[in-house]
Structure formats: C-alpha cells, structure tokens
Amino acid sequence: LALAVLLARRRRRLPARFDLQRLVRPCVLRLAPYTFPPRFGLAEAPVLLDANENPHGSTVEALDAALHRYPDPRQARLKAAIAGLRGCAPSQVVVGCGSDEIIDLLIRVTCEPGRDSILVCSPTYAMYQIFASVNDVSTVDVPLSADDYQLRVGAILQSLTPRVKLVFLCSPGNPTGRLLRRADIEAIAAAATGSLVVVDEAYVDFAPDEAAASCVPLVGRTPNLVVSQTFSKAWGLAGARGGVPGRARVW
C-alpha cells in the first residue's frame, strides 16, 4: 500500500507533502482577519455602544431567551464543551450552521471555480455535489465497491490529481449505513497530499463502538484530515443548526 501511495503521487504530480498554504485559494489567503472588539468579554455591561444592540431585551414577548446580545464570535465556551465531549483540543474545533455550511465553506475556501474538483464515492450524501455545482466546481465520482460498500482505495488513488482539492468520505455512509475502514481512510489521506480529506461522521453516534468508529483521534497526526460531525441526528438538535468539524490545524 505504501508503494501504491508513492506511485500515485508521482504519477499524478502530487506534492511530496501536504501544505495548507498551497491548498487555500490565494484570494482567501490575502484576506485580512477581522478583529473582534473586546466587548465580547463584557456580556454583563448594560449598554455596549459599538454593537447597536437593544439593551432592554427582545421586543418579541414570546421569546424567553436573552437574544438581544450578539453571541461570542469565537464560540469559546461551546468549542471547549465540544472538545471535551469529542476528545480533541478546542483549537481543533470550528462551529458552523449545520454541517452543510461547513461543506460549502470548505469548497469555497479551497476550490477555484471552473477549474478545481472534489472527489466523492457514490452512493453518498447528495449535498457534496450540489454545493460543488453551485460553486462551479466539478465532481469526480469513484463509486464504492458494489459488494460491501467500502472504499476502492486503488481507484481513488488513481483519481487524485492536483485539481482535486477535497475528498469527501461519508462514514457511516449515507445512505449505505456502512462504516468505512479506518485504515483505508488513512491510506487515502497519506496519498492525497494536494487535498483535504473530509470524513463526514453525521451518523457516527449510531455506530456500535463510536470511539473505534470515529476518525477524530487521527486529526492531530494527519494534517490534511477534517472530521465533520453534527448534533442534528442522534442528539435530536436539528433546529439548533450546529455543524462541528475537527481539523488538524487552525486556519
């Protein structure tokens, strides 16, 4: 397998090692980070003039929650709680408005419209290809094996090119319900030096042994691995719109 990985890199002219700076679109790298004012640590202040909030609370009487304040844009407490739950560092957590937003953001950050591609393994979650199409990004499909719905690692390695920026792997599969072999995912991540490998674990809470099924433990030692999870399924919090990807490095 190690030889196959090496040959795939050479044949497809992939980088010798993964470099996030080379993967992200130049226009994104040039963006100046937005500086949040220190007011987000002053939640008890009666009036925050820079935020133009209503200091008297919501004008909608039916709302009991205190929704008149902007939330912490860094989501520090939420990230710490998720990290404790999933066994990773808070710096490895990004919170989105559902996993769909995370999928869309990953495509927009890494893929040049009209030029780059994502790779999927059908049958799989339809939104990968839908978001790719919306962003004028093509899709390379390497179907799962017909007998057991597992990854065809050799075929995937053959399909990796410098234009494939994202590899989406769904485990447990939607709609197959099959857990992908972790060794296969690691082999693909090792070979995909020009791509991010995104493991969508929306249904991992239903796995018989969640700890053994999840790829979160691989995140710290695999620089191009992203693991996406959600509270919408087993946790019954679809209305909260919380998508949680863990990644190896802070962008």
Side-chain angles (χ1 to χ4, degrees):
L1 186 56
L3 178 59
V5 168
L6 180 60
L7 291 176
R9 288 181 187 169
R10 290 180 177 176
R11 183 164 44 248
R12 299 299 178 180
R13 298 180 181 178
L14 299 179
R17 60 183 59 84
F18 176 75
D19 183 353
L20 185 60
Q21 298 294 314
R22 293 179 58 180
L23 181 67
V24 175
R25 295 171 63 194
C27 63
V28 176
L29 289 175
R30 289 193 296 267
L31 289 174
Y34 180 79
T35 302
F36 296 110
R39 60 163 294 274
F40 288 103
L42 305 172
E44 301 304 320
V47 178
L48 298 169
L49 296 178
D50 68 303
N52 296 316
E53 298 167 334
N54 183 342
H56 304 295
S58 174
T59 58
V60 181
E61 296 181 359
L63 292 178
D64 295 328
L67 300 179
H68 62 295
R69 299 289 196 192
Y70 287 111
D72 176 9
R74 299 180 183 87
Q75 306 100 25
R77 293 176 60 190
L78 179 58
K79 288 178 179 178
I82 292 170
L85 176 69
R86 294 307 193 189
C88 59
S91 62
Q92 293 175 316
V93 177
V94 174
V95 179
C97 184
S99 296
D100 281 357
E101 183 188 31
I102 300 300
I103 295 167
D104 183 37
L105 286 175
L106 286 169
I107 293 173
R108 287 195 283 153
V109 165
T110 61
C111 295
E112 291 286 355
R115 190 178 72 174
D116 290 332
S117 305
I118 67 169
L119 187 148
V120 303
C121 299
S122 62
T124 191
Y125 186 41
M127 293 308 296
Y128 309 140
Q129 186 167 358
I130 290 173
F131 280 124
S133 297
V134 167
N135 288 285
D136 194 18
V137 172
S138 60
T139 299
V140 177
D141 186 7
V142 181
L144 299 171
S145 59
D147 56 341
D148 60 359
Y149 294 119
Q150 288 294 332
L151 298 170
R152 295 163 55 224
V153 177
I156 292 172
L157 299 190
Q158 291 286 335
S159 300
L160 294 175
T161 71
R163 296 273 66 89
V164 174
K165 298 301 180 66
L166 294 166
V167 178
F168 285 101
L169 307 175
C170 195
S171 181
N174 174 6
T176 68
R178 293 300 301 271
L179 280 168
L180 301 178
R181 288 186 284 264
R182 186 185 289 186
D184 291 347
I185 294 173
E186 291 186 87
I188 293 167
T193 52
S195 313
L196 282 176
V197 176
V198 185
V199 182
D200 185 347
E201 295 186 346
Y203 295 91
V204 75
D205 298 291
F206 295 100
D209 186 350
E210 179 187 338
S214 177
C215 287
V216 169
L218 305 179
V219 167
R221 64 176 188 267
T222 311
N224 60 334
L225 182 67
V226 175
V227 178
S228 176
Q229 297 184 352
T230 182
F231 293 117
S232 299
K233 312 306 179 190
W235 292 78
L237 295 172
R241 307 312 300 136
V244 184
R247 76 270 191 252
R249 297 181 182 178
V250 180
W251 290 16

